[in-house]
């Protein structure tokens, strides 16, 4: 393989290739020549375990496919949660069943122990792609994939796919959930104003909007909120860290997600945390940032006092394939 050739032209290769690879026993490390980004992919957790940019860690948990949003008043009124409740379990528990690694477009044997012993820790490449394959605990089971393709400048091209299975109920959402270590100071996005859903976006005005903090709509009963449709990009900015080596606030930093025209929400709670609270005071103290990027979102309905089912155009068929892609920019 050219990228691990340690003979002639090695110095030239190292100069030209912007990414250094570190093949651990159960992890794959990727870092840039300038040292401004360091990524760790875990074969154990089944995804990206660390995303450190300019010394600030952006991940608290490995990103996973998400299938659930907290039940809304209309979901309860129409009985949607009773028909599709298995997606809540799928959102909580999912198994990684396969991993592939491709270096400069060429697939290699999974470099976990003992295969990783043939590498030096100084291998370099132009780009690397790691794909994780998951299986849901639904009956019948379905498969989902998440692929990370890291470019030389640290940008990550992400693709997510869902393989539909006949007999599965409709989904609330299909997306990816990123949990960040601390609460963000806020976020800026280019898209529609306010909270929007597929069947509730006619009043949204396109523009660039800044949101301070991580606001949660104060419904009497906590439920899904804060979705923004047709978003071109979103930037999350933080000035706090869990790194004990840093005294006080960390240097302000931001992470940009180029979405094309996807939906997202940025809240201090997961869907499960919202689901577990029957009243606002039962919500835990905000500690994390939960950014969900959605390729598909079910409508919220609300046609007649929150009871009639969502119009058919805004359902998500569990039997159909779907996918989406976006970029993480550092």
């Amino acid at each position: 393989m050219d990228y691990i050739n340690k003979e002639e032209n090695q110095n030239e290769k190292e100069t030209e290739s912007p990414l250094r690879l570190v093949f651990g026993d159960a992890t794959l490390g990727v870092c840039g020549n300038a040292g401004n980004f360091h990524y760790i992919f875990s074969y154990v957790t089944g995804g990206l375990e660390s995303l450190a940019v300019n010394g600030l860690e952006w991940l608290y948990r490995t990103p996973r496919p998400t299938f659930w949003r907290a039940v809304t008043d209309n979901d309860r009124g129409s009985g949607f949660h009773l028909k599709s409740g298995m997606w809540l379990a799928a959102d909580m528990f999912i198994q990684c069943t396969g991993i592939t690694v491709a270096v400069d477009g060429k697939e290699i044997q999974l470099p976990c122990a003992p295969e990783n012993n043939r590498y030096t820790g100084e291998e370099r490449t132009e780009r690397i792609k790691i794909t994780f394959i998951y299986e849901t605990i639904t009956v019948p089971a379905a498969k989902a994939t998440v692929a990370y393709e890291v470019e030389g400048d640290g940008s990550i091209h992400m693709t997510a796919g869902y393989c539909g299975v006949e007999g599965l109920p409709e989904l609330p959402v299909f997306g990816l959930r990123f949990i960040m270590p601390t609460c963000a100071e806020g976020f800026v996005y280019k898209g529609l104003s306010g909270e929007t859903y597929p069947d509730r976006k006619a009043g949204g005005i396109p523009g660039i909007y800044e949101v301070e903090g991580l606001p949660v709509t104060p419904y009497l009963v906590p439920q899904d909120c804060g979705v923004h449709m047709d978003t071109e990009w979103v930037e999350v900015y933080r000035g706090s860290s869990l790194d004990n080596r840093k005294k006080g606030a960390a240097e302000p930093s931001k992470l940009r997600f180029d979405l094309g025209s996807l939906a997202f929400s940025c809240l201090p709670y997961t869907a499960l945390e919202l689901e577990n609270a029957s009243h606002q005071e039962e919500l835990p103290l905000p500690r994390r940032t939960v950014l969900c990027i959605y390729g598909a979102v079910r409508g919220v309905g609300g046609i007649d006092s929150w009871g009639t089912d969502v119009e058919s155009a805004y359902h998500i068929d569990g039997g159909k394939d779907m996918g989406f892609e976006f970029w993480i920019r550092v």
Side-chain angles (χ1 to χ4, degrees):
M1 301 179 189
D2 291 340
Y3 75 96
I4 61 169
N5 184 8
K6 292 180 283 185
E7 298 177 357
E8 59 182 1
N9 297 326
Q10 176 70 6
N11 291 335
E12 180 182 353
K13 179 65 177 178
E14 290 184 357
T15 300
E16 293 176 351
S17 301
L19 299 176
R20 182 166 71 91
L21 308 179
V22 181
F23 297 100
D25 288 349
T27 59
L28 193 163
V30 182
C31 61
N33 284 339
N36 62 314
F37 63 87
H38 299 80
Y39 307 149
I40 298 176
F41 296 89
S42 172
Y43 312 137
V44 178
T45 63
L48 184 61
E49 189 172 56
S50 174
L51 195 161
V53 182
N54 296 322
L56 184 66
E57 176 60 65
W58 282 91
L59 288 182
Y60 186 71
R61 292 284 187 265
T62 295
R64 291 294 185 91
T66 184
F67 307 100
W68 189 258
R69 65 155 194 232
V71 173
T72 66
D73 287 339
N74 193 67
D75 291 333
R76 296 186 187 94
S78 63
F80 174 74
H81 59 307
L82 302 177
K83 296 175 285 188
S84 294
M86 70 170 68
W87 288 116
L88 173 58
D91 192 84
M92 295 173 60
F93 307 109
I94 191 169
Q95 180 181 11
C96 180
T97 57
I99 304 170
T100 62
V101 177
V103 179
D104 284 338
K106 183 176 181 180
E107 187 171 327
I108 64 172
Q109 183 176 342
L110 184 65
C112 59
E115 170 67 14
N116 64 316
N117 291 330
R118 62 190 294 262
Y119 299 103
T120 68
E122 294 296 331
E123 283 74 27
R124 294 178 181 273
T125 186
E126 299 292 328
R127 67 184 184 279
I128 184 167
K129 183 176 183 180
I130 306 97
T131 303
F132 296 89
I133 304 166
Y134 304 93
E135 186 174 279
T136 67
I137 63 170
T138 55
V139 180
K143 291 190 180 297
T145 60
V146 178
Y148 305 77
E149 187 165 12
V150 184
E151 301 289 337
D153 63 355
S155 297
I156 306 176
H157 180 218
M158 299 202 61
T159 56
Y162 165 83
C163 299
V165 178
E166 186 175 352
L168 285 176
E170 296 173 5
L171 289 85
V173 296
F174 173 58
L176 280 175
R177 178 176 57 241
F178 296 81
I179 301 180
M180 301 172 185
T182 59
C183 283
E185 274 63 47
F187 56 93
V188 181
Y189 72 96
K190 184 177 182 180
L192 299 178
S193 60
E195 179 181 275
T196 51
Y197 284 82
D199 54 352
R200 290 290 182 274
K201 64 179 185 178
I205 301 173
I208 297 177
Y209 300 95
E210 181 171 3
V211 178
E212 294 185 1
L214 301 172
V216 176
T217 307
Y219 296 113
L220 182 62
V221 177
Q223 55 193 276
D224 190 66
C225 61
V227 172
H228 303 275
M229 301 295 299
D230 299 349
T231 303
E232 185 175 325
W233 54 261
V234 57
E235 291 180 348
V236 181
Y237 52 92
R238 294 167 53 221
S240 57
S241 170
L242 293 184
D243 191 339
N244 290 328
R245 297 170 302 174
K246 301 180 185 297
K247 302 300 181 182
E251 289 294 324
S253 185
K254 65 181 179 181
L255 195 63
R256 179 182 173 111
F257 297 79
D258 285 341
L259 306 184
S261 186
L262 298 176
F264 82 95
S265 65
C266 194
L267 301 169
Y269 304 119
T270 64
L272 180 60
E273 288 173 321
L274 290 170
E275 199 74 74
N276 279 341
S278 297
H279 301 88
Q280 290 289 324
E281 64 271 18
E282 295 175 9
L283 289 170
L285 291 175
R287 300 175 62 196
R288 316 289 179 213
T289 300
V290 182
L291 175 72
C292 292
I293 296 174
Y294 300 116
V297 180
R298 177 182 168 87
V300 291
I303 297 171
D304 56 356
S305 300
W306 305 97
T308 296
D309 198 5
V310 174
E311 293 182 349
S312 58
Y314 307 111
H315 292 209
I316 305 175
D317 189 346
K320 291 185 178 180
D321 297 348
M322 63 186 111
F324 61 96
E325 60 181 320
F326 60 94
W327 286 85
I328 300 177
R329 307 288 188 185
V330 299

